[in-house]
Amino acid sequence: GAGVSQSPSNKVTEKGKDVELRCDPISGHTALYWYRQSLGQGLEFLIYFQGNSAPDKSGLPSDRFSAERTGGSVSTLTIQRTQQEDSAVYLCASSLRAGGSHEQYFGPGTRLTVT
Amino acid sequence: LAKTTQPISMDSYEGQEVNITCSHNNIATNDYITWYQQFPSQGPRFIIQGYKTKVTNEVASLFIPADRKSSTLSLPRVSLSDTAVYYCLVGDFMIKAAGNKLTFGGGTRVLVKP
C-alpha cells in the first residue's frame, strides 16, 4: 500500500520568503508528526497531530513555524520569513494512533535550502 | 522529558553481532522504547520496540533491564547493508499533562566493514 508521501522533495528558497511543505499520511493513520533533521544531525521533533485534536506545538523552534492538518489527513508545515538556519530535511511520519507504542512510518522528507 | 544518550559511532565487520546501548535515565512509566534505522537520504524505518525485558523479531533483539534506564539494540550477524544510523526513541504522546515530547537520541552511526 501507499506509504507516507511528502512534497516537494526539494525546495530552494530565498531568505525571507515563506514556504509550505506538504505531508500525506498513510490512510487510516490518525497521528501525524513533523521532524527536522539538519545535515549530519539527529531528528528534532517539531509538532504532532492526533486526529482532530489541537496539535502539540511544544517542539516548534519559533513562531515563524506553524502547521495545519485538514480533515484529519493531509498536513502542511509552513515556515514564514525563512532563515538560513531553517535549511534542513523536514520529515513527516504517521502512525495508527499517537503514542510511543505505535510504530511511526516516515516519508522521504523535503530538503529545504534557504539561500 | 526522557533525554537519551547513544554512542556517536560504531564499527563492525560482516557476520559480527552489533550491540548499541541507549541511556534514558529519566524514562517515564508510560514511555516505550523504539529503535529506528536510517539510510542516507531516506526517512527512518522502524526496527523494534519494547517496554521491558526482552523483545525479539526477525531483524533484531531489544534488551531492557528492570530499571528501564537503558536499552540495548542487538543486531545479529550484520551485513554491509546494515550500515546506517540507528536512533533510540523514548516517549509516549499520550501523557498530555506532562508536556508531550518524543525524544530521539542523537543516533549511532554504524559502519559494517567487509
Side-chain angles (χ1 to χ4, degrees):
Chain A
V4 177
S5 61
Q6 294 185 244
S7 60
S9 55
N10 282 284
K11 176 71 176 179
V12 179
T13 189
E14 293 180 354
K15 177 181 174 180
K17 295 286 181 68
D18 297 352
V19 294
E20 284 190 355
L21 312 179
R22 177 187 168 105
C23 172
D24 283 89
I26 292 173
S27 177
H29 281 192
T30 63
L32 185 148
Y33 315 79
W34 282 99
Y35 298 88
R36 179 169 69 175
Q37 188 169 35
S38 300
L39 186 62
Q41 301 299 309
L43 290 153
E44 176 188 3
F45 166 77
L46 298 178
I47 189 171
Y48 93 95
F49 297 84
Q50 168 56 52
N52 295 320
S53 302
D56 177 351
K57 304 179 182 180
S58 58
L60 292 177
S62 78
D63 57 9
R64 296 185 294 104
F65 287 72
S66 63
E68 290 185 338
R69 189 177 185 194
T70 54
S73 181
V74 172
S75 177
T76 302
L77 178 69
T78 301
I79 309 173
Q80 295 179 312
R81 305 181 302 282
T82 52
Q83 304 294 313
Q84 288 185 331
E85 60 263 29
D86 299 334
S87 295
V89 175
Y90 289 81
L91 290 159
C92 174
S94 71
S95 64
L96 200 58
R97 282 185 57 81
S101 63
H102 294 286
E103 175 184 348
Q104 295 184 38
Y105 294 81
F106 283 81
T110 293
R111 182 174 299 277
L112 175 66
T113 304
V114 181
T115 61
Chain B
L1 176 59
K3 177 178 169 58
T4 58
T5 304
Q6 304 174 233
I8 294 174
S9 64
M10 299 180 74
D11 287 359
S12 184
Y13 290 91
E14 283 189 290
Q16 288 190 335
E17 179 181 83
V18 171
N19 295 307
I20 310 170
T21 296
C22 178
S23 298
H24 28 80
N25 291 320
N26 298 324
I27 189 169
T29 301
N30 290 329
D31 284 346
Y32 282 77
I33 302 158
T34 312
W35 285 81
Y36 288 82
Q37 175 191 56
Q38 186 177 29
F39 297 112
S41 302
Q42 295 184 25
R45 184 180 69 168
F46 173 90
I47 301 175
I48 196 167
Q49 182 183 77
Y51 183 79
K52 62 180 179 180
T53 63
K54 176 184 174 182
V55 179
T56 298
N57 63 21
E58 63 276 9
V59 298
S61 294
L62 179 60
F63 299 92
I64 305 170
D67 65 7
R68 303 203 323 123
K69 293 187 176 183
S70 67
S71 58
T72 299
L73 173 71
S74 180
L75 305 172
R77 300 178 297 281
V78 293
S79 63
L80 296 177
S81 61
D82 292 318
T83 293
V85 179
Y86 293 81
Y87 289 98
C88 163
L89 172 61
V90 176
D92 186 344
F93 282 120
M94 302 308 288
I95 310 177
K96 275 192 165 294
N100 286 327
K101 190 75 173 185
L102 202 61
T103 304
F104 274 86
T108 299
R109 190 173 300 276
V110 172
L111 174 62
V112 180
K113 303 175 183 177

